[in-house]
Structure formats: structure tokens, C-alpha cells
Amino acid sequence: MALIKRNNNQQVTIQKKANVSRDLDASKYKSYQRKTLKVDPPVYELVKTISYVTDVKMYDLVREMANIYLEKNVDVRDRENIIRMINQKGD
């Protein structure tokens, strides 16, 4: 522990505050509703490592990757068709 220059009568005060806020409604899917996604081992290790380094859950990371891919690499017409197909499955 580092030395602190202080008066002998003065006490050090430490304020510990924990983030206790919980967003329980953040996930609209339960764990049993999630599906298994089969990928090659190098792809899995890449996603797992990115998830660990960025402290993001793997399924959130894959969701974000898929959304970015849809925005950046799919043309507008195909994107509209994909979104329409997904919405029809949800109904």
C-alpha cells in the first residue's frame, strides 16, 4: 500500500460504491429459447476471444455482428426481403 502524507489525527475515508442497478428486462429471450449455432473451431475461438476481451456475452456479440453485416454488406432490396422474412416468422 502506498504511503499517504496525512495528519496523525486524520482518518482515511474510502467510499466504495457498487453498481447495483439491474436491467432485468434487457433480454427478451430466455436461455432455453436460444438455438445452437454450429461454426468452425477458428470462428468459435475468434468470437469467444472477442467476447472475453470486450466483456460482452457471445450471443450479444453475434447479434451485433449480424446486424452490422446486414447494414454494411447487404444491398437495400435484399435487406428489406430479409427483414420481411424474419418478421413473417415472428407472426
Side-chain angles (χ1 to χ4, degrees), residues 3-91:
L3 298 175
I4 301 173
K5 184 177 180 181
R6 62 181 175 156
N7 295 335
N8 288 337
N9 297 334
Q10 183 182 5
Q11 293 294 324
V12 175
T13 57
I14 300 173
Q15 295 179 354
K16 293 184 180 181
K17 294 184 179 180
N19 182 5
V20 294
S21 64
R22 301 289 185 255
D23 189 7
L24 299 177
D25 295 330
S27 177
K28 57 183 175 180
Y29 300 108
K30 303 292 182 193
S31 60
Y32 65 87
Q33 293 173 316
R34 292 192 179 95
K35 307 294 182 191
T36 302
L37 181 63
K38 303 287 184 176
V39 295
D40 294 333
V43 175
Y44 175 78
E45 288 300 322
L46 176 64
V47 172
K48 180 177 155 186
T49 305
I50 293 172
S51 172
Y52 178 76
V53 170
T54 60
D55 195 28
V56 176
K57 294 180 181 177
M58 288 177 66
Y59 54 85
D60 288 335
L61 182 64
V62 171
R63 180 185 309 123
E64 187 176 340
M65 288 177 173
N67 288 334
I68 290 172
Y69 182 84
L70 187 63
E71 290 175 14
K72 303 284 184 186
N73 297 355
V74 178
D75 64 355
V76 177
R77 184 173 182 205
D78 289 340
R79 186 179 319 135
E80 289 173 356
N81 289 335
I82 291 169
I83 293 170
R84 188 177 302 119
M85 290 170 65
I86 291 172
N87 289 338
Q88 286 178 351
K89 283 185 179 182
D91 292 342

